[in-house]
PDB file of all heavy atoms in Angstrom:
ATOM      1  N   VAL A  32       5.520  17.870  -2.824  1.00 95.00           N
ATOM      2  CA  VAL A  32       4.648  17.647  -1.665  1.00 95.00           C
ATOM      3  C   VAL A  32       5.498  17.427  -0.423  1.00 95.00           C
ATOM      4  O   VAL A  32       5.243  17.997   0.643  1.00 95.00           O
ATOM      5  CB  VAL A  32       3.689  16.457  -1.905  1.00 95.00           C
ATOM      6  CG1 VAL A  32       2.944  16.096  -0.637  1.00 95.00           C
ATOM      7  CG2 VAL A  32       2.726  16.777  -3.040  1.00 95.00           C
ATOM      8  N   GLY A  33       6.542  16.612  -0.539  1.00 93.00           N
ATOM      9  CA  GLY A  33       7.443  16.376   0.591  1.00 93.00           C
ATOM     10  C   GLY A  33       8.108  17.654   1.074  1.00 93.00           C
ATOM     11  O   GLY A  33       8.202  17.901   2.279  1.00 93.00           O
ATOM     12  N   GLN A  34       8.546  18.484   0.141  1.00 93.00           N
ATOM     13  CA  GLN A  34       9.163  19.768   0.511  1.00 93.00           C
ATOM     14  C   GLN A  34       8.161  20.661   1.236  1.00 93.00           C
ATOM     15  O   GLN A  34       8.488  21.283   2.246  1.00 93.00           O
ATOM     16  CB  GLN A  34       9.685  20.480  -0.742  1.00 93.00           C
ATOM     17  CG  GLN A  34      10.913  19.864  -1.329  1.00 93.00           C
ATOM     18  CD  GLN A  34      12.142  20.133  -0.480  1.00 93.00           C
ATOM     19  OE1 GLN A  34      12.284  21.198   0.093  1.00 93.00           O
ATOM     20  NE2 GLN A  34      13.013  19.153  -0.399  1.00 93.00           N
ATOM     21  N   ALA A  35       6.946  20.745   0.707  1.00 93.00           N
ATOM     22  CA  ALA A  35       5.922  21.586   1.337  1.00 93.00           C
ATOM     23  C   ALA A  35       5.602  21.091   2.742  1.00 93.00           C
ATOM     24  O   ALA A  35       5.489  21.895   3.679  1.00 93.00           O
ATOM     25  CB  ALA A  35       4.661  21.614   0.480  1.00 93.00           C
ATOM     26  N   LEU A  36       5.487  19.784   2.916  1.00 92.00           N
ATOM     27  CA  LEU A  36       5.197  19.248   4.241  1.00 92.00           C
ATOM     28  C   LEU A  36       6.348  19.493   5.211  1.00 92.00           C
ATOM     29  O   LEU A  36       6.118  19.792   6.385  1.00 92.00           O
ATOM     30  CB  LEU A  36       4.881  17.753   4.163  1.00 92.00           C
ATOM     31  CG  LEU A  36       3.516  17.398   3.593  1.00 92.00           C
ATOM     32  CD1 LEU A  36       3.396  15.892   3.419  1.00 92.00           C
ATOM     33  CD2 LEU A  36       2.404  17.922   4.472  1.00 92.00           C
ATOM     34  N   SER A  37       7.573  19.377   4.729  1.00 90.00           N
ATOM     35  CA  SER A  37       8.709  19.583   5.634  1.00 90.00           C
ATOM     36  C   SER A  37       8.817  21.038   6.072  1.00 90.00           C
ATOM     37  O   SER A  37       9.250  21.323   7.175  1.00 90.00           O
ATOM     38  CB  SER A  37      10.015  19.111   4.997  1.00 90.00           C
ATOM     39  OG  SER A  37      10.425  19.972   3.962  1.00 90.00           O
ATOM     40  N   ARG A  38       8.399  21.949   5.212  1.00 90.00           N
ATOM     41  CA  ARG A  38       8.492  23.375   5.544  1.00 90.00           C
ATOM     42  C   ARG A  38       7.263  23.916   6.252  1.00 90.00           C
ATOM     43  O   ARG A  38       7.372  24.765   7.131  1.00 90.00           O
ATOM     44  CB  ARG A  38       8.720  24.188   4.274  1.00 90.00           C
ATOM     45  CG  ARG A  38      10.065  23.952   3.654  1.00 90.00           C
ATOM     46  CD  ARG A  38      10.269  24.791   2.423  1.00 90.00           C
ATOM     47  NE  ARG A  38      11.555  24.467   1.833  1.00 90.00           N
ATOM     48  CZ  ARG A  38      11.871  24.712   0.592  1.00 90.00           C
ATOM     49  NH1 ARG A  38      11.015  25.307  -0.214  1.00 90.00           N
ATOM     50  NH2 ARG A  38      13.052  24.384   0.123  1.00 90.00           N
ATOM     51  N   PHE A  39       6.075  23.448   5.840  1.00 90.00           N
ATOM     52  CA  PHE A  39       4.831  24.067   6.301  1.00 90.00           C
ATOM     53  C   PHE A  39       3.824  23.072   6.865  1.00 90.00           C
ATOM     54  O   PHE A  39       2.677  23.438   7.115  1.00 90.00           O
ATOM     55  CB  PHE A  39       4.158  24.823   5.142  1.00 90.00           C
ATOM     56  CG  PHE A  39       5.093  25.734   4.406  1.00 90.00           C
ATOM     57  CD1 PHE A  39       5.508  25.422   3.117  1.00 90.00           C
ATOM     58  CD2 PHE A  39       5.565  26.898   4.989  1.00 90.00           C
ATOM     59  CE1 PHE A  39       6.365  26.262   2.431  1.00 90.00           C
ATOM     60  CE2 PHE A  39       6.432  27.731   4.314  1.00 90.00           C
ATOM     61  CZ  PHE A  39       6.830  27.419   3.029  1.00 90.00           C
ATOM     62  N   GLY A  40       4.213  21.836   7.077  1.00 83.00           N
ATOM     63  CA  GLY A  40       3.268  20.782   7.409  1.00 83.00           C
ATOM     64  C   GLY A  40       2.827  20.651   8.844  1.00 83.00           C
ATOM     65  O   GLY A  40       1.981  19.813   9.149  1.00 83.00           O
ATOM     66  N   SER A  41       3.332  21.467   9.746  1.00 86.00           N
ATOM     67  CA  SER A  41       2.988  21.281  11.155  1.00 86.00           C
ATOM     68  C   SER A  41       1.511  21.512  11.441  1.00 86.00           C
ATOM     69  O   SER A  41       0.988  20.993  12.418  1.00 86.00           O
ATOM     70  CB  SER A  41       3.840  22.183  12.041  1.00 86.00           C
ATOM     71  OG  SER A  41       3.577  23.549  11.763  1.00 86.00           O
ATOM     72  N   GLY A  42       0.815  22.255  10.596  1.00 89.00           N
ATOM     73  CA  GLY A  42      -0.601  22.549  10.827  1.00 89.00           C
ATOM     74  C   GLY A  42      -1.559  21.607  10.126  1.00 89.00           C
ATOM     75  O   GLY A  42      -2.767  21.798  10.197  1.00 89.00           O
ATOM     76  N   VAL A  43      -1.045  20.599   9.470  1.00 90.00           N
ATOM     77  CA  VAL A  43      -1.886  19.641   8.751  1.00 90.00           C
ATOM     78  C   VAL A  43      -1.544  18.224   9.216  1.00 90.00           C
ATOM     79  O   VAL A  43      -0.497  18.000   9.825  1.00 90.00           O
ATOM     80  CB  VAL A  43      -1.699  19.757   7.219  1.00 90.00           C
ATOM     81  CG1 VAL A  43      -2.111  21.134   6.721  1.00 90.00           C
ATOM     82  CG2 VAL A  43      -0.280  19.448   6.812  1.00 90.00           C
ATOM     83  N   PRO A  44      -2.395  17.248   8.938  1.00 93.00           N
ATOM     84  CA  PRO A  44      -2.102  15.868   9.362  1.00 93.00           C
ATOM     85  C   PRO A  44      -1.031  15.210   8.484  1.00 93.00           C
ATOM     86  O   PRO A  44      -1.281  14.288   7.718  1.00 93.00           O
ATOM     87  CB  PRO A  44      -3.459  15.169   9.249  1.00 93.00           C
ATOM     88  CG  PRO A  44      -4.206  15.945   8.233  1.00 93.00           C
ATOM     89  CD  PRO A  44      -3.733  17.367   8.362  1.00 93.00           C
ATOM     90  N   TRP A  45       0.190  15.666   8.611  1.00 94.00           N
ATOM     91  CA  TRP A  45       1.331  15.219   7.814  1.00 94.00           C
ATOM     92  C   TRP A  45       1.568  13.723   7.928  1.00 94.00           C
ATOM     93  O   TRP A  45       2.054  13.090   6.997  1.00 94.00           O
ATOM     94  CB  TRP A  45       2.596  15.974   8.220  1.00 94.00           C
ATOM     95  CG  TRP A  45       2.937  15.802   9.660  1.00 94.00           C
ATOM     96  CD1 TRP A  45       2.589  16.635  10.680  1.00 94.00           C
ATOM     97  CD2 TRP A  45       3.654  14.720  10.258  1.00 94.00           C
ATOM     98  NE1 TRP A  45       3.034  16.135  11.882  1.00 94.00           N
ATOM     99  CE2 TRP A  45       3.696  14.959  11.646  1.00 94.00           C
ATOM    100  CE3 TRP A  45       4.260  13.568   9.752  1.00 94.00           C
ATOM    101  CZ2 TRP A  45       4.310  14.094  12.534  1.00 94.00           C
ATOM    102  CZ3 TRP A  45       4.892  12.700  10.646  1.00 94.00           C
ATOM    103  CH2 TRP A  45       4.907  12.973  12.020  1.00 94.00           C
ATOM    104  N   TRP A  46       1.238  13.135   9.078  1.00 95.00           N
ATOM    105  CA  TRP A  46       1.523  11.727   9.319  1.00 95.00           C
ATOM    106  C   TRP A  46       0.674  10.818   8.430  1.00 95.00           C
ATOM    107  O   TRP A  46       0.959   9.640   8.294  1.00 95.00           O
ATOM    108  CB  TRP A  46       1.300  11.371  10.792  1.00 95.00           C
ATOM    109  CG  TRP A  46      -0.097  11.603  11.268  1.00 95.00           C
ATOM    110  CD1 TRP A  46      -1.120  10.685  11.278  1.00 95.00           C
ATOM    111  CD2 TRP A  46      -0.634  12.811  11.777  1.00 95.00           C
ATOM    112  NE1 TRP A  46      -2.255  11.264  11.754  1.00 95.00           N
ATOM    113  CE2 TRP A  46      -1.981  12.587  12.082  1.00 95.00           C
ATOM    114  CE3 TRP A  46      -0.110  14.081  12.015  1.00 95.00           C
ATOM    115  CZ2 TRP A  46      -2.822  13.561  12.605  1.00 95.00           C
ATOM    116  CZ3 TRP A  46      -0.938  15.055  12.542  1.00 95.00           C
ATOM    117  CH2 TRP A  46      -2.274  14.793  12.838  1.00 95.00           C
ATOM    118  N   ARG A  47      -0.344  11.367   7.787  1.00 95.00           N
ATOM    119  CA  ARG A  47      -1.196  10.575   6.900  1.00 95.00           C
ATOM    120  C   ARG A  47      -0.657  10.512   5.472  1.00 95.00           C
ATOM    121  O   ARG A  47      -1.256   9.856   4.626  1.00 95.00           O
ATOM    122  CB  ARG A  47      -2.602  11.141   6.898  1.00 95.00           C
ATOM    123  CG  ARG A  47      -3.284  11.000   8.245  1.00 95.00           C
ATOM    124  CD  ARG A  47      -4.651  11.592   8.218  1.00 95.00           C
ATOM    125  NE  ARG A  47      -5.283  11.463   9.515  1.00 95.00           N
ATOM    126  CZ  ARG A  47      -6.324  12.183   9.888  1.00 95.00           C
ATOM    127  NH1 ARG A  47      -6.845  13.067   9.064  1.00 95.00           N
ATOM    128  NH2 ARG A  47      -6.838  12.019  11.085  1.00 95.00           N
ATOM    129  N   VAL A  48       0.447  11.182   5.209  1.00 96.00           N
ATOM    130  CA  VAL A  48       1.062  11.156   3.881  1.00 96.00           C
ATOM    131  C   VAL A  48       2.249  10.195   3.934  1.00 96.00           C
ATOM    132  O   VAL A  48       3.131  10.338   4.780  1.00 96.00           O
ATOM    133  CB  VAL A  48       1.509  12.565   3.437  1.00 96.00           C
ATOM    134  CG1 VAL A  48       2.106  12.512   2.041  1.00 96.00           C
ATOM    135  CG2 VAL A  48       0.335  13.534   3.482  1.00 96.00           C
ATOM    136  N   LEU A  49       2.242   9.221   3.036  1.00 96.00           N
ATOM    137  CA  LEU A  49       3.204   8.126   3.061  1.00 96.00           C
ATOM    138  C   LEU A  49       3.915   7.978   1.731  1.00 96.00           C
ATOM    139  O   LEU A  49       3.497   8.545   0.720  1.00 96.00           O
ATOM    140  CB  LEU A  49       2.459   6.812   3.356  1.00 96.00           C
ATOM    141  CG  LEU A  49       1.671   6.806   4.653  1.00 96.00           C
ATOM    142  CD1 LEU A  49       0.521   5.841   4.556  1.00 96.00           C
ATOM    143  CD2 LEU A  49       2.585   6.462   5.803  1.00 96.00           C
ATOM    144  N   ARG A  50       4.956   7.193   1.739  1.00 96.00           N
ATOM    145  CA  ARG A  50       5.619   6.822   0.485  1.00 96.00           C
ATOM    146  C   ARG A  50       4.674   5.927  -0.311  1.00 96.00           C
ATOM    147  O   ARG A  50       3.749   5.327   0.231  1.00 96.00           O
ATOM    148  CB  ARG A  50       6.907   6.076   0.787  1.00 96.00           C
ATOM    149  CG  ARG A  50       7.951   6.950   1.417  1.00 96.00           C
ATOM    150  CD  ARG A  50       9.111   6.112   1.832  1.00 96.00           C
ATOM    151  NE  ARG A  50      10.317   6.937   1.869  1.00 96.00           N
ATOM    152  CZ  ARG A  50      11.521   6.451   1.970  1.00 96.00           C
ATOM    153  NH1 ARG A  50      11.713   5.146   2.039  1.00 96.00           N
ATOM    154  NH2 ARG A  50      12.553   7.259   2.009  1.00 96.00           N
ATOM    155  N   ALA A  51       4.907   5.819  -1.605  1.00 95.00           N
ATOM    156  CA  ALA A  51       4.035   5.039  -2.497  1.00 95.00           C
ATOM    157  C   ALA A  51       3.916   3.577  -2.080  1.00 95.00           C
ATOM    158  O   ALA A  51       2.920   2.926  -2.375  1.00 95.00           O
ATOM    159  CB  ALA A  51       4.528   5.150  -3.928  1.00 95.00           C
ATOM    160  N   ASP A  52       4.911   3.053  -1.370  1.00 96.00           N
ATOM    161  CA  ASP A  52       4.852   1.653  -0.931  1.00 96.00           C
ATOM    162  C   ASP A  52       4.213   1.495   0.450  1.00 96.00           C
ATOM    163  O   ASP A  52       4.185   0.408   1.006  1.00 96.00           O
ATOM    164  CB  ASP A  52       6.246   1.025  -0.946  1.00 96.00           C
ATOM    165  CG  ASP A  52       7.214   1.678   0.032  1.00 96.00           C
ATOM    166  OD1 ASP A  52       6.834   2.645   0.726  1.00 96.00           O
ATOM    167  OD2 ASP A  52       8.373   1.220   0.085  1.00 96.00           O
ATOM    168  N   GLY A  53       3.699   2.598   1.024  1.00 96.00           N
ATOM    169  CA  GLY A  53       3.026   2.546   2.313  1.00 96.00           C
ATOM    170  C   GLY A  53       3.939   2.710   3.512  1.00 96.00           C
ATOM    171  O   GLY A  53       3.489   2.603   4.648  1.00 96.00           O
ATOM    172  N   THR A  54       5.220   2.974   3.279  1.00 96.00           N
ATOM    173  CA  THR A  54       6.148   3.152   4.391  1.00 96.00           C
ATOM    174  C   THR A  54       6.167   4.609   4.842  1.00 96.00           C
ATOM    175  O   THR A  54       5.770   5.515   4.110  1.00 96.00           O
ATOM    176  CB  THR A  54       7.577   2.704   4.024  1.00 96.00           C
ATOM    177  OG1 THR A  54       8.024   3.441   2.887  1.00 96.00           O
ATOM    178  CG2 THR A  54       7.631   1.210   3.743  1.00 96.00           C
ATOM    179  N   CYS A  55       6.642   4.816   6.048  1.00 95.00           N
ATOM    180  CA  CYS A  55       6.689   6.136   6.658  1.00 95.00           C
ATOM    181  C   CYS A  55       7.924   6.917   6.214  1.00 95.00           C
ATOM    182  O   CYS A  55       8.912   6.338   5.767  1.00 95.00           O
ATOM    183  CB  CYS A  55       6.719   5.991   8.183  1.00 95.00           C
ATOM    184  SG  CYS A  55       5.212   5.268   8.857  1.00 95.00           S
ATOM    185  N   ALA A  56       7.841   8.224   6.395  1.00 88.00           N
ATOM    186  CA  ALA A  56       8.986   9.100   6.126  1.00 88.00           C
ATOM    187  C   ALA A  56      10.107   8.734   7.100  1.00 88.00           C
ATOM    188  O   ALA A  56       9.869   8.654   8.298  1.00 88.00           O
ATOM    189  CB  ALA A  56       8.583  10.554   6.304  1.00 88.00           C
ATOM    190  N   PRO A  57      11.315   8.495   6.617  1.00 90.00           N
ATOM    191  CA  PRO A  57      12.392   8.017   7.493  1.00 90.00           C
ATOM    192  C   PRO A  57      12.689   8.905   8.700  1.00 90.00           C
ATOM    193  O   PRO A  57      12.883   8.397   9.803  1.00 90.00           O
ATOM    194  CB  PRO A  57      13.609   7.946   6.575  1.00 90.00           C
ATOM    195  CG  PRO A  57      13.064   7.843   5.208  1.00 90.00           C
ATOM    196  CD  PRO A  57      11.756   8.585   5.228  1.00 90.00           C
ATOM    197  N   LEU A  58      12.700  10.207   8.532  1.00 89.00           N
ATOM    198  CA  LEU A  58      13.083  11.090   9.630  1.00 89.00           C
ATOM    199  C   LEU A  58      12.061  11.143  10.758  1.00 89.00           C
ATOM    200  O   LEU A  58      12.401  11.434  11.894  1.00 89.00           O
ATOM    201  CB  LEU A  58      13.345  12.511   9.118  1.00 89.00           C
ATOM    202  CG  LEU A  58      14.526  12.655   8.162  1.00 89.00           C
ATOM    203  CD1 LEU A  58      14.628  14.080   7.637  1.00 89.00           C
ATOM    204  CD2 LEU A  58      15.824  12.248   8.852  1.00 89.00           C
ATOM    205  N   LEU A  59      10.816  10.858  10.460  1.00 90.00           N
ATOM    206  CA  LEU A  59       9.756  10.948  11.466  1.00 90.00           C
ATOM    207  C   LEU A  59       9.000   9.628  11.614  1.00 90.00           C
ATOM    208  O   LEU A  59       7.875   9.610  12.109  1.00 90.00           O
ATOM    209  CB  LEU A  59       8.777  12.063  11.092  1.00 90.00           C
ATOM    210  CG  LEU A  59       9.382  13.463  11.041  1.00 90.00           C
ATOM    211  CD1 LEU A  59       8.423  14.437  10.383  1.00 90.00           C
ATOM    212  CD2 LEU A  59       9.737  13.926  12.435  1.00 90.00           C
ATOM    213  N   ALA A  60       9.609   8.536  11.187  1.00 94.00           N
ATOM    214  CA  ALA A  60       8.918   7.247  11.132  1.00 94.00           C
ATOM    215  C   ALA A  60       8.337   6.819  12.476  1.00 94.00           C
ATOM    216  O   ALA A  60       7.198   6.350  12.529  1.00 94.00           O
ATOM    217  CB  ALA A  60       9.849   6.168  10.589  1.00 94.00           C
ATOM    218  N   ASN A  61       9.080   6.977  13.552  1.00 95.00           N
ATOM    219  CA  ASN A  61       8.570   6.528  14.855  1.00 95.00           C
ATOM    220  C   ASN A  61       7.315   7.283  15.252  1.00 95.00           C
ATOM    221  O   ASN A  61       6.308   6.682  15.638  1.00 95.00           O
ATOM    222  CB  ASN A  61       9.642   6.656  15.935  1.00 95.00           C
ATOM    223  CG  ASN A  61      10.768   5.679  15.743  1.00 95.00           C
ATOM    224  OD1 ASN A  61      10.597   4.622  15.144  1.00 95.00           O
ATOM    225  ND2 ASN A  61      11.938   6.030  16.231  1.00 95.00           N
ATOM    226  N   GLU A  62       7.345   8.616  15.161  1.00 95.00           N
ATOM    227  CA  GLU A  62       6.174   9.411  15.515  1.00 95.00           C
ATOM    228  C   GLU A  62       5.025   9.134  14.548  1.00 95.00           C
ATOM    229  O   GLU A  62       3.862   9.047  14.960  1.00 95.00           O
ATOM    230  CB  GLU A  62       6.505  10.900  15.521  1.00 95.00           C
ATOM    231  CG  GLU A  62       5.331  11.750  15.965  1.00 95.00           C
ATOM    232  CD  GLU A  62       5.635  13.233  16.039  1.00 95.00           C
ATOM    233  OE1 GLU A  62       6.799  13.637  15.850  1.00 95.00           O
ATOM    234  OE2 GLU A  62       4.675  13.989  16.291  1.00 95.00           O
ATOM    235  N   GLN A  63       5.337   8.980  13.281  1.00 95.00           N
ATOM    236  CA  GLN A  63       4.304   8.720  12.280  1.00 95.00           C
ATOM    237  C   GLN A  63       3.613   7.383  12.569  1.00 95.00           C
ATOM    238  O   GLN A  63       2.387   7.296  12.533  1.00 95.00           O
ATOM    239  CB  GLN A  63       4.922   8.728  10.883  1.00 95.00           C
ATOM    240  CG  GLN A  63       3.921   8.773   9.763  1.00 95.00           C
ATOM    241  CD  GLN A  63       4.571   9.032   8.408  1.00 95.00           C
ATOM    242  OE1 GLN A  63       5.766   8.824   8.220  1.00 95.00           O
ATOM    243  NE2 GLN A  63       3.774   9.491   7.465  1.00 95.00           N
ATOM    244  N   ARG A  64       4.370   6.351  12.891  1.00 95.00           N
ATOM    245  CA  ARG A  64       3.796   5.043  13.205  1.00 95.00           C
ATOM    246  C   ARG A  64       2.884   5.115  14.425  1.00 95.00           C
ATOM    247  O   ARG A  64       1.809   4.516  14.437  1.00 95.00           O
ATOM    248  CB  ARG A  64       4.896   4.017  13.436  1.00 95.00           C
ATOM    249  CG  ARG A  64       5.541   3.528  12.180  1.00 95.00           C
ATOM    250  CD  ARG A  64       6.501   2.373  12.461  1.00 95.00           C
ATOM    251  NE  ARG A  64       7.450   2.274  11.388  1.00 95.00           N
ATOM    252  CZ  ARG A  64       8.726   2.643  11.469  1.00 95.00           C
ATOM    253  NH1 ARG A  64       9.238   3.102  12.584  1.00 95.00           N
ATOM    254  NH2 ARG A  64       9.515   2.520  10.422  1.00 95.00           N
ATOM    255  N   VAL A  65       3.307   5.848  15.457  1.00 96.00           N
ATOM    256  CA  VAL A  65       2.497   5.998  16.671  1.00 96.00           C
ATOM    257  C   VAL A  65       1.167   6.668  16.340  1.00 96.00           C
ATOM    258  O   VAL A  65       0.098   6.216  16.758  1.00 96.00           O
ATOM    259  CB  VAL A  65       3.265   6.786  17.749  1.00 96.00           C
ATOM    260  CG1 VAL A  65       2.351   7.211  18.886  1.00 96.00           C
ATOM    261  CG2 VAL A  65       4.437   5.960  18.278  1.00 96.00           C
ATOM    262  N   ARG A  66       1.221   7.757  15.572  1.00 96.00           N
ATOM    263  CA  ARG A  66      -0.010   8.472  15.211  1.00 96.00           C
ATOM    264  C   ARG A  66      -0.938   7.613  14.360  1.00 96.00           C
ATOM    265  O   ARG A  66      -2.151   7.607  14.563  1.00 96.00           O
ATOM    266  CB  ARG A  66       0.322   9.767  14.481  1.00 96.00           C
ATOM    267  CG  ARG A  66       0.912  10.822  15.406  1.00 96.00           C
ATOM    268  CD  ARG A  66       1.294  12.063  14.616  1.00 96.00           C
ATOM    269  NE  ARG A  66       1.883  13.075  15.443  1.00 96.00           N
ATOM    270  CZ  ARG A  66       1.346  14.280  15.649  1.00 96.00           C
ATOM    271  NH1 ARG A  66       0.205  14.610  15.074  1.00 96.00           N
ATOM    272  NH2 ARG A  66       1.948  15.154  16.417  1.00 96.00           N
TER     273      ARG A  66
END
């Protein structure tokens, strides 16, 4: 799922997908938190 989102996720609400502990993806954490 992470690979698919990194390659093709720009057209879907990627920021709503989180790690199992509820934390954001490290590379996009700031933008994800804002959204």
Side-chain angles (χ1 to χ4, degrees):
V32 171
Q34 287 287 324
L36 286 173
S37 72
R38 292 181 183 159
F39 311 109
S41 63
V43 298
W45 59 265
W46 60 92
R47 294 179 181 162
V48 182
L49 302 153
R50 292 173 155 192
D52 64 359
T54 58
C55 295
L58 295 176
L59 298 168
N61 291 334
E62 183 178 354
Q63 193 170 20
R64 283 187 202 106
V65 168
R66 288 177 181 243

